[in-house]
Amino acid sequence: MKFFSDRIYDRSPRGLAVGFLCAGALFVLAVDVAIVAATGDATAWTPTRLASGWTLVGVSSFFLHGALRYHRRRAESARRELETSNQQLQVLSRVFRHNIRNDLNVIRGYADLLSTRVDDERSRECLETIQETTDDVVEISEKLRVIEEASPDPPEGRIDLVETARDAAGDVDGPDVTITVDSPPEAWIRADRSVEYPVREVFENAVTHNDGSTRRVDAHIEVDGAKTCLEVRDNGPGIPADERAVLRAERETPLSHASSIGLWLVKWMCETQGGTVGFETTDDGTTVRLRFESADPGVEKAEERAGPAEGQPSYGTDGGAGGGSAAEDESVSRAP
């Protein structure tokens, strides 16, 4: 079907209109012949009837030709605008990631140097603000690099979502943080290594944007046939309504925009992996659900699940002999 549609699109509007005219003329003639054959009355067919049908087909071909030319011009104009926009974005991204980042590193270096020579508290607070701001902008440049380098092609590899989520949870650090990951032993999804970025971003947002005295993050992974879902729930203040509206609308305006590129990274990177993202905010916190296409674990993992070779001991998840539980629950607690 795709090959057929490509062949149609490659033809000129005139060629398509002529093809429609010929096919329509033959169709009108075939209909008249069929009517005569069905009724057995040769007087049912007249040259006037045939001419009126051909006239209708000719007029339709004329309007079809005009419509095709109009839409073809619009498509070409949109393609040129898209190419120009892509070139502009690539240049801006390259300038931001290289030139501006180098300047920010210089600013950060001088701020670090001044911090050792400043004595009054007010000046130290100003320098800390400069350092934190430059670090935030550098972090944004890293996220832009991840988005720019992401492949638009459907992923062909397999990733263990359980391992990815546990690694992301282990990388999150901060005072009074409690993280639990409830999951099966493994959950393979159709994705490549870039899926690690949105997963890590979800855990980081759950901790970074939580100003509570005790920050808690509960993650749950569930395999439901063809889909595998990672659900991350926190007890923070939640995503503001205007930012959720921006993500749903998939565009920003001067009066409505997201405060961080992190949520966009989660959305875009998941969609490039063939997944979907859902946000749910209540008074108790925010729940983020990442859904991906399930995948077979592969030959190596299938052999591992088949059991050890004959004469070798079998170990469960607790390190002792015997089988492990169907799910694991890991709790990571950190205190200041």
Side-chain angles (χ1 to χ4, degrees):
M1 183 63 69
K2 183 177 183 300
F3 174 75
F4 181 72
S5 61
D6 290 342
R7 293 190 62 183
I8 292 179
Y9 183 80
D10 291 338
R11 292 184 178 275
S12 65
R14 178 180 297 178
L16 291 174
V18 171
F20 176 82
L21 177 63
C22 296
L26 292 176
F27 177 77
V28 170
L29 180 60
V31 169
D32 287 347
V33 172
I35 292 176
V36 171
T39 59
D41 184 8
T43 60
W45 177 86
T46 61
T48 304
R49 178 187 180 91
L50 181 62
S52 62
W54 283 350
T55 301
L56 178 61
V57 172
V59 173
S60 301
S61 301
F62 175 79
F63 283 106
L64 177 63
H65 178 260
L68 289 174
R69 288 192 59 185
Y70 171 74
H71 287 289
R72 185 64 59 87
R73 286 196 301 268
R74 291 196 58 183
E76 290 297 326
S77 176
R79 183 185 60 81
R80 289 192 298 268
E81 291 178 0
L82 182 60
E83 291 179 352
T84 302
S85 298
N86 286 337
Q87 292 175 354
Q88 293 173 348
L89 289 175
Q90 290 176 0
V91 172
L92 290 175
S93 177
R94 190 176 301 111
V95 170
F96 180 83
R97 290 196 298 107
H98 293 281
N99 302 60
I100 296 181
R101 178 172 178 173
N102 291 338
D103 294 341
L104 288 173
N105 288 332
V106 173
I107 295 173
R108 177 59 194 262
Y110 279 111
D112 293 339
L113 181 62
L114 286 175
S115 64
T116 61
R117 303 185 179 185
V118 173
D119 296 330
D120 60 291
E121 188 65 25
R122 176 57 181 169
S123 297
R124 288 185 177 274
E125 292 178 356
C126 294
L127 286 175
E128 289 178 358
T129 302
I130 294 175
Q131 293 169 338
E132 293 175 357
T133 303
T134 53
D135 289 342
D136 291 341
V137 179
V138 170
E139 183 180 357
I140 292 176
S141 70
E142 286 296 324
K143 294 177 180 179
L144 288 176
R145 179 185 61 81
V146 171
I147 295 175
E148 183 180 5
E149 295 179 354
S151 174
D153 300 328
E156 297 180 356
R158 293 184 296 266
I159 296 295
D160 184 6
L161 186 58
V162 174
E163 180 182 358
T164 301
R166 292 188 183 279
D167 290 343
D171 292 338
V172 176
D173 194 7
D176 299 325
V177 176
T178 301
I179 301 177
T180 64
V181 180
D182 177 30
S183 68
E186 57 185 29
W188 292 85
I189 60 174
R190 184 71 60 185
D192 54 38
R193 302 305 303 182
S194 61
V195 78
E196 297 173 356
Y197 295 101
V199 173
R200 185 183 301 116
E201 186 71 22
V202 169
F203 280 93
E204 289 182 355
N205 285 340
V207 174
T208 304
H209 300 288
N210 191 336
D211 54 1
S213 57
T214 300
R215 295 178 288 181
R216 181 174 181 84
V217 180
D218 298 316
H220 176 71
I221 297 178
E222 181 179 1
V223 180
D224 184 14
K227 294 294 182 180
T228 298
C229 177
L230 168 62
E231 181 179 280
V232 180
R233 181 184 297 108
D234 63 62
N235 62 340
I239 303 174
D242 55 346
E243 295 200 20
R244 297 199 306 271
V246 169
L247 292 174
R248 285 194 298 267
E250 297 187 351
R251 66 185 182 92
E252 295 201 2
T253 65
L255 299 179
S256 178
H257 63 274
S259 60
S260 173
I261 197 175
L263 294 179
W264 286 110
L265 185 145
V266 172
K267 177 180 175 60
W268 289 335
M269 295 299 290
C270 283
E271 290 179 350
T272 58
Q273 302 293 322
T276 60
V277 182
F279 300 93
E280 179 182 342
T281 299
T282 63
D283 295 336
D284 298 329
T286 301
T287 301
V288 181
R289 296 182 181 88
L290 310 182
R291 289 184 174 87
F292 303 95
E293 179 184 353
S294 301
D296 295 331
V299 178
E300 295 83 358
K301 288 297 179 180
E303 291 176 352
E304 292 178 7
R305 289 203 309 270
E310 184 178 356
Q312 298 293 328
S314 175
Y315 296 96
T317 56
D318 57 355
S325 61
E328 300 175 0
D329 190 354
E330 175 183 341
S331 178
V332 181
S333 300
R334 299 180 179 86

